[in-house]
Amino acid sequence: MSYPTVRNRRLRRTSALRSLVRETVLSANDFIYPIFVTFGHNIKEEIPSMPGVYHLSMDRLEEEIRDVIAAGIQSVLLFGIPEHKDAIGASAYDANGIVQQAIRAVKEWAPELVVIADTCLCQFTDHGHCGIVHVHEATGTAEVDNDSSLDLLVQTAISQAQAGADIIAPSNMMDGFVLAIRDGLDEAGFSDIPILSYSVKYASAFYGPFRDAAHSAPQFGDRKTYQMDPANVREALREAESDVAEGADMLMVKPALAYLDVIKLLKEQFDLPVAAYNVSAEYSMVKAAAANGWIDERAVVLETLTGMKRAGADLIITYHAKDAARWLKGEE
């Protein structure tokens, strides 16, 4: 049958009808809110390239956590900016490191809040890479050594679990990192702590503002030898398949907007929850356009996040989380 018997507009006639047949429903329960914790006292400094996002010292963190809970968000992702960096990122796995301190504090203030720890070395190394850098004597060239980096990533994950992290989220893209961390957590008595793997993390141009926020830009070269080529999609399946086999509990695609097809593919191919990371430049572009009066920020953000969920994301990591959660409740 076709027109005039079929009239698709019938189900769009009123707001109530549209709500009744809506296929994708966005909720604050879908959101994970990233937070940047730094050393020092009484620090709440707005990140210039990410309006509305702040560096927070420990003594200012609780007010942010209370704000997150008031918005109805149930999970946060913690990033730390250490006071000291070195070649092996020792602050990443220090029991009294900035992330470990933040985890313990948040779990004390809000035990019900799901605390996710980003597990990587880039914010803690003086060279800004996600693993240990070795220089070849013969050629003088430097490269990130995959296997020697795994031991330190395992130490980092264990220290975060010991501090009270509910979920470990390794973002380093080393081969075998999920298996190494799963084995390490299990041996340390944390077999019940899930791994949210940055399974499909592209070497993207959309990370610029985050690198400003986390002070994690590489001091030489780039991350293209371990992060994925943006042109590849079959490789994404191989990466995710490896992580599933190694014991990942959830899979992530990062960034989100330019990779909705990849989110959909992972959702169709695997039966694990899929997370989308709505990354810093995706956030900052919306903020810049809204500040210039070119777009309706609220409408664009909610449409964008709905698109990520429609593509298959079960979880969305987004800097818009607090605003979006309030907008969904009808607040301004």
Side-chain angles (χ1 to χ4, degrees):
M1 291 187 293
S2 62
Y3 174 85
T5 303
V6 175
R7 290 181 178 268
N8 292 313
R9 288 181 56 189
R10 289 181 186 129
L11 298 182
R12 304 175 196 150
R13 191 165 48 85
T14 68
S15 175
L17 271 172
R18 292 192 295 274
S19 295
L20 192 66
V21 299
R22 184 161 293 136
E23 299 171 25
T24 304
V25 179
L26 196 63
S27 160
N29 293 337
D30 302 321
F31 302 148
I32 298 168
Y33 185 59
I35 297 177
F36 297 95
V37 187
T38 189
F39 56 90
H41 299 281
N42 196 31
I43 294 172
K44 185 177 182 180
E45 295 177 347
E46 189 171 42
I47 298 162
S49 58
M50 298 178 70
V53 179
Y54 298 86
H55 287 132
L56 298 163
S57 54
M58 287 293 299
D59 56 324
R60 300 295 301 272
L61 180 59
E62 185 174 5
E63 63 188 88
E64 180 79 331
I65 295 301
R66 298 301 177 199
D67 200 32
V68 165
I69 293 170
I73 297 164
Q74 299 190 64
S75 180
V76 294
L77 173 60
L78 296 180
F79 295 96
I81 296 90
E83 190 168 11
H84 302 291
K85 302 188 179 194
D86 57 33
I88 58 173
S91 295
Y93 43 90
D94 185 339
N96 291 310
I98 189 67
V99 171
Q100 288 80 358
Q101 290 184 48
I103 293 168
R104 287 192 291 268
V106 173
K107 294 307 293 182
E108 181 179 342
W109 299 324
E112 74 285 358
L113 195 67
V114 176
V115 175
I116 305 173
D118 178 79
T119 306
C120 196
L121 300 180
C122 61
Q123 296 134 260
F124 305 93
T125 56
D126 52 16
H127 47 72
H129 279 282
C130 302
I132 301 304
V133 172
H134 285 168
V135 178
H136 290 281
E137 292 183 8
T139 63
T141 57
E143 67 175 26
V144 176
D145 186 273
N146 190 96
D147 293 5
S148 66
S149 301
L150 295 179
D151 291 339
L152 300 187
L153 292 165
V154 171
Q155 290 182 50
T156 302
I158 292 171
S159 73
Q160 293 168 339
Q162 288 171 336
D166 297 293
I167 298 173
I168 298 299
S171 59
N172 53 88
M173 287 296 284
M174 298 294 112
D175 290 339
F177 70 99
V178 172
L179 179 61
I181 290 173
R182 181 72 274 158
D183 286 348
L185 289 172
D186 291 353
E187 290 173 9
F190 295 105
S191 59
D192 58 338
I193 298 297
I195 295 175
L196 167 56
S197 173
Y198 285 66
S199 298
V200 183
K201 183 177 180 180
Y202 286 91
S204 172
F206 285 88
Y207 301 151
F210 175 90
R211 291 177 180 174
D212 289 341
H215 303 163
S216 63
Q219 298 303 299
F220 65 89
D222 54 43
R223 295 177 178 149
K224 293 180 180 179
T225 64
Y226 46 101
Q227 294 179 359
M228 280 183 50
D229 185 337
N232 292 355
V233 65
R234 292 195 303 272
E235 184 184 2
L237 277 178
R238 296 197 298 272
E239 287 281 3
E241 201 167 43
S242 295
D243 288 358
V244 172
E246 292 176 14
D249 300 282
M250 295 175 275
L251 307 174
M252 187 195 300
V253 176
K254 180 182 181 182
L257 277 179
Y259 302 92
L260 296 176
D261 60 320
V262 182
I263 295 171
K264 179 177 173 60
L265 184 63
L266 262 63
K267 185 66 172 180
E268 291 173 343
Q269 294 294 321
F270 304 101
D271 59 2
L272 297 181
V274 175
Y277 200 138
N278 179 209
V279 299
S280 58
E282 296 169 353
Y283 169 86
S284 297
M285 289 189 298
V286 170
K287 284 292 187 180
N292 279 284
W294 297 337
I295 62 170
D296 178 334
E297 181 180 356
R298 174 176 176 162
V300 166
V301 168
L302 293 180
E303 182 177 343
T304 299
L305 298 177
T306 299
M308 294 171 194
K309 188 169 183 183
R310 189 182 64 246
D314 301 288
L315 311 166
I316 303 173
I317 303 167
T318 178
Y319 304 96
H320 295 293
K322 290 195 298 181
D323 286 338
R326 292 183 178 117
W327 292 333
L328 289 170
K329 290 191 293 186
E331 300 175 7
E332 292 300 324

